[in-house]
Amino acid sequence: NKFMNIRYLQKDGVDKKELEDFCDQVIHMIDKNEFFTITSLRNKGFTHALDRLGLNDYFYTSVLIEDERFSNRRMGKTKLLFYGKKSIELIHLILVILKENEMIVMNDLVELLEKQYGIFMNRDKLKVMIKDSDLYYDDITNVVYKDYPTYAKKNLKGMDIIAVKL
């Protein structure tokens, strides 16, 4: 809980060039238009000379959000970053996660967000967010689908749908 300016960092031998190098090294580690957090970078094996300072993830995130090449959005106690310029929401990250698998069990999604990205989301808030989007959530199976047609294709195949007029 301390504001650090460049003079404070210079006492530890950190200059603006090293901060810029940190951002450049992050860019070499990720793809354009990729979502990430400091936690996900660390999970990929990212390290940098700045690690010698022993500061928490908030410091490293703060360095990145000052770089105009990244967009960011607060997600609980962490910030979701994006290599590119756009307004980002958690739902965009979930869409990326579902791009490969088309569906994920809610518990697995919550665990993935926590372990891979360090994003801790209340399940109920996550369900509301999903239901307010183009994603589809099945309350019975507790599964999130990338959209309703994917849900229908995987679950309603071979079922006769009968419309009843009241």
Side-chain angles (χ1 to χ4, degrees):
N1 293 331
K2 186 184 276 189
F3 179 78
M4 289 185 252
N5 60 30
I6 193 69
R7 289 182 306 282
Y8 179 85
L9 294 170
Q10 286 171 336
K11 291 177 187 176
D12 287 324
V14 176
D15 60 10
K16 186 176 178 181
K17 188 172 183 173
E18 189 171 11
L19 296 173
E20 290 170 351
D21 181 67
F22 174 79
C23 296
D24 291 342
Q25 292 304 312
V26 166
I27 285 173
H28 290 293
M29 186 78 168
I30 60 174
D31 295 325
K32 184 80 170 158
N33 298 320
E34 182 177 341
F35 291 96
F36 66 98
T37 62
I38 295 298
T39 301
S40 68
L41 287 174
R42 299 290 187 210
N43 287 339
K44 284 183 166 184
F46 179 79
T47 59
H48 190 271
L50 282 178
D51 293 339
R52 74 182 182 282
L53 300 173
L55 299 170
N56 65 20
D57 289 351
Y58 189 81
F59 168 77
Y60 301 103
T61 301
S62 297
V63 171
L64 292 171
I65 64 174
E66 292 302 319
D67 189 310
E68 293 181 358
R69 297 174 287 184
F70 302 110
S71 301
N72 71 87
R73 179 73 180 246
R74 177 168 292 286
M75 301 287 158
K77 293 184 178 185
T78 192
K79 287 210 178 190
L80 179 62
L81 294 132
F82 179 79
Y83 178 25
K85 293 308 271 175
K86 83 178 211 176
S87 176
I88 59 174
E89 302 285 337
L90 181 59
I91 209 75
H92 299 141
L93 173 60
I94 295 170
L95 282 167
V96 169
I97 292 168
L98 290 173
K99 190 176 264 188
E100 290 179 21
N101 301 322
E102 296 187 332
M103 59 188 237
I104 188 169
V105 174
M106 177 62 85
N107 293 340
D108 294 342
L109 176 60
V110 169
E111 185 176 324
L112 182 123
L113 289 172
E114 289 175 2
K115 289 185 177 177
Q116 182 66 30
Y117 294 95
I119 298 172
F120 295 86
M121 279 296 293
N122 174 297
R123 262 177 239 287
D124 293 329
K125 285 184 181 180
L126 192 54
K127 284 180 188 178
V128 169
M129 182 186 312
I130 288 167
K131 288 180 177 183
D132 287 343
S133 73
D134 290 337
L135 300 175
Y136 182 79
Y137 177 72
D138 182 355
D139 285 305
I140 296 169
T141 61
N142 202 29
V143 175
V144 179
Y145 295 85
K146 73 175 190 172
D147 53 27
Y148 183 79
T150 301
Y151 162 78
K153 182 174 77 176
K154 293 186 179 292
N155 293 286
L156 304 178
K157 190 183 279 185
M159 292 180 71
D160 292 327
I161 307 297
I162 300 170
V164 178
K165 188 173 183 178
L166 298 176

